[in-house]
Amino acid sequence: MLKKLLIAGAAFAALSVGTALSGPAGAETLKLVEVITSPERTETLKGIVKSFEAANPGTTVEIISLPWGEAFEKFATMVSAGQTPDVVEMPDTWQALYGNNGQLEDLEPWVAKWDQASDLSQKALDMGRIVGGKTYLLPYGFYLRAMFYNKKLFEQAGVKEPPKTLDEFLEASKKVSAIPGKYGYCLRGGPGGLNGWVMFGAIANGDNTFFKEDGTSTFADAGWVKGITFLTDLYKNGYAPKDSVNWGFNEIVAGFYSGTCAMLDQDPDALIAIAEKMKPEDYGVTTMPKGPNGKTFPTIGYAGWSMFSNSQNKDLAWKLIATLEGKEGNVAWNKRTGALPALKSAATDPFYDSPQFKGWFDELGDKDVVPTIMPTYLEEFAFFKDSLVIKTSQEALLGDRTPEDVAKEWADYMTKAQQKHLKK
């Protein structure tokens, strides 16, 4: 199905896929694509690129910004049409797709010579090498889910403290939703919704193992189905806004800071908008609710910078990556994106010593919190996350399919992908 998408994309190569944000091409031109886009992020990126251009006279960087909700399809269109960039902001979920197809450059030779390589955390290096042991990506930061909660709505609904368990989460959602025009949970039913389904599925299941030894997916197991049912019932019972079936990142964050819903599971990047719209005393960040066995499984993801293997100027493309990944660029970028930085030295920055990050650090320090890493090493995973799951989960939310039916389709798809991977 993904191959069909890539082939079909070539027919639409003439369509505009982004906006060039730099001036006319100079003696050397690099193309940089960002895919997790917002106006604020783009402005920060432009500033870092400007410093790179100043340090490399005669070089121009063309920045192409793809809206996240359409980025997977639009970037596939670019690649299928041969319009590949030199450098791309690479989500972890795309890493295997493009790496396994030989389209990404192994950055290891450049990293080995880089004078700032020792500042990269071991987690960043390990995750960058997750596909075949090759450094197809340098993570710039990590996205760990935690639970935002609205203190004012909790007080109004008679909820005394943030929920610690699934049962308490459900009860809090019910109480808040009894207030006219208010809802318990900002459900992400549209783009990027897989994280929620995985977290609640794993919490209800009591385990976040995706596959059995023979490569069979666990998605269709009773525990996972129970978690999927938990979210679909939450929506059907009116504890999440009706239009949240289509919500992506911007909609759920706006739903929280506007006071429409009282709880939101998100990464630190949501702090950017929330901190601008809400007073710090009006909201908090806490650990994701725990399941019957006392454990919770927040997803942890990452994104970074990759170089396409057909770049005509690889040394210059690496210089751009080094500027983006180096301390000055990385810290400036992560302060705007909200990710937890990939550099060890960033931990000493006062910005990350502020109370707003305490919820994530508490979560990381809890022995009953087991961060969940998605199986991004599977090249089929990008399509699963950005297409298949969105369509099928929306069908379940709307009552057109049962959670059991959807879970089986997910399991069948992922079993084929994992068993193919094991054969390799």
Side-chain angles (χ1 to χ4, degrees):
M1 189 173 292
L2 176 59
K3 290 181 179 179
K4 291 181 180 179
L5 172 63
L6 294 173
I7 294 170
F12 296 94
L15 294 176
S16 172
V17 293
T19 303
L21 298 174
S22 66
E28 298 286 354
T29 301
L30 293 178
K31 183 184 292 185
L32 169 63
V33 173
E34 63 165 335
V35 302
I36 310 175
T37 305
S38 73
E40 296 82 7
R41 288 166 65 103
T42 300
E43 286 302 310
T44 302
L45 184 60
K46 287 168 65 177
I48 300 171
V49 164
K50 187 176 180 180
S51 68
F52 169 79
E53 291 175 334
N56 295 273
T59 300
T60 298
V61 179
E62 176 190 359
I63 302 176
I64 297 175
S65 301
L66 304 181
W68 175 240
E70 306 166 9
F72 178 69
E73 289 81 4
K74 287 197 170 187
F75 191 68
T77 297
M78 290 180 64
V79 173
S80 66
Q83 300 173 357
T84 53
D86 296 280
V87 177
V88 60
E89 179 185 13
M90 180 64 63
D92 56 350
T93 53
W94 301 6
Q95 186 179 357
L97 172 62
Y98 293 104
N100 282 334
N101 287 334
Q103 293 168 307
L104 301 182
E105 185 74 11
D106 182 2
L107 300 177
E108 197 66 39
W110 285 280
V111 173
K113 299 176 184 177
W114 190 33
D115 60 359
Q116 296 188 53
S118 61
D119 197 18
L120 288 167
S121 69
Q122 190 59 48
K123 185 176 288 293
L125 290 169
D126 291 344
M127 289 186 169
R129 296 166 177 155
I130 202 169
V131 179
K134 295 185 178 181
T135 308
Y136 288 133
L137 175 154
L138 273 189
Y140 56 67
F142 304 100
Y143 297 92
L144 176 68
R145 289 293 170 95
M147 187 68 73
F148 288 80
Y149 62 97
N150 185 312
K151 295 180 180 180
K152 281 189 170 182
L153 279 179
F154 271 16
E155 182 179 1
Q156 188 179 351
V159 179
K160 295 182 179 180
E161 60 181 7
K164 295 181 175 63
T165 66
L166 274 186
D167 289 341
E168 291 177 3
F169 176 84
L170 183 62
E171 184 62 23
S173 297
K174 181 179 180 180
K175 287 182 177 179
V176 173
S177 300
I179 303 172
K182 304 298 181 183
Y183 302 88
Y185 177 55
C186 288
L187 174 73
R188 188 168 181 171
L194 175 63
N195 291 61
W197 297 104
V198 164
M199 287 189 295
F200 282 95
I203 292 168
N205 186 50
D207 187 272
N208 63 351
T209 304
F210 287 108
F211 301 102
K212 299 170 186 177
E213 286 189 11
D214 64 354
T216 302
S217 169
T218 59
F219 274 135
D221 290 1
W224 284 95
V225 172
K226 186 176 180 180
I228 296 171
T229 303
F230 180 90
L231 275 189
T232 55
D233 286 349
L234 191 84
Y235 177 78
K236 292 174 183 177
N237 288 331
Y239 302 160
K242 187 175 182 180
D243 55 351
S244 65
V245 66
N246 293 311
W247 280 8
F249 175 81
N250 291 331
E251 291 82 5
I252 59 173
V253 173
F256 182 78
Y257 67 62
S258 67
T260 300
C261 36
M263 290 180 286
L264 164 72
D265 67 78
Q266 251 310 316
D267 313 312
D269 56 351
L271 273 173
I272 297 169
I274 291 171
E276 291 177 353
K277 303 288 187 179
M278 298 179 72
K279 296 177 181 179
E281 63 268 23
D282 289 343
Y283 68 95
V285 180
T286 190
T287 300
M288 289 292 295
K290 296 176 180 178
N293 67 346
K295 295 185 181 297
T296 189
F297 305 89
T299 54
I300 185 169
Y302 57 97
W305 308 107
S306 295
M307 182 195 306
F308 259 71
S309 56
N310 62 355
S311 170
Q312 298 301 301
N313 203 332
K314 294 179 181 179
D315 287 334
L316 193 60
W318 165 254
K319 285 185 178 181
L320 175 57
I321 291 175
T323 300
L324 293 163
E325 189 76 5
K327 185 172 183 180
E328 186 176 341
N330 184 262
V331 172
W333 178 249
N334 283 299
K335 284 181 179 179
R336 176 49 59 188
T337 64
L340 302 172
L343 302 184
K344 292 180 284 188
S345 61
T348 62
D349 192 287
F351 181 83
Y352 294 101
D353 193 35
S354 60
Q356 62 186 6
F357 283 96
K358 187 176 184 299
W360 283 278
F361 292 124
D362 286 349
E363 193 171 53
L364 284 171
D366 188 332
K367 64 180 178 60
D368 291 320
V369 172
V370 184
T372 297
I373 299 173
M374 297 285 196
T376 56
Y377 57 86
L378 299 173
E379 62 183 84
E380 294 86 356
F381 185 74
F383 176 78
F384 176 73
K385 171 184 178 290
D386 291 321
S387 185
L388 178 62
V389 167
I390 297 173
K391 177 180 180 294
T392 53
S393 63
Q394 287 176 333
E395 290 170 344
L397 289 169
L398 295 172
D400 296 331
R401 297 177 65 178
T402 65
E404 290 82 1
D405 184 39
V406 168
K408 183 180 184 303
E409 183 171 349
W410 294 0
D412 289 345
Y413 181 90
M414 294 299 282
T415 295
K416 290 178 182 177
Q418 177 71 356
Q419 291 181 344
K420 172 185 171 185
H421 171 75
L422 291 176
K423 287 180 180 178
K424 287 184 179 180

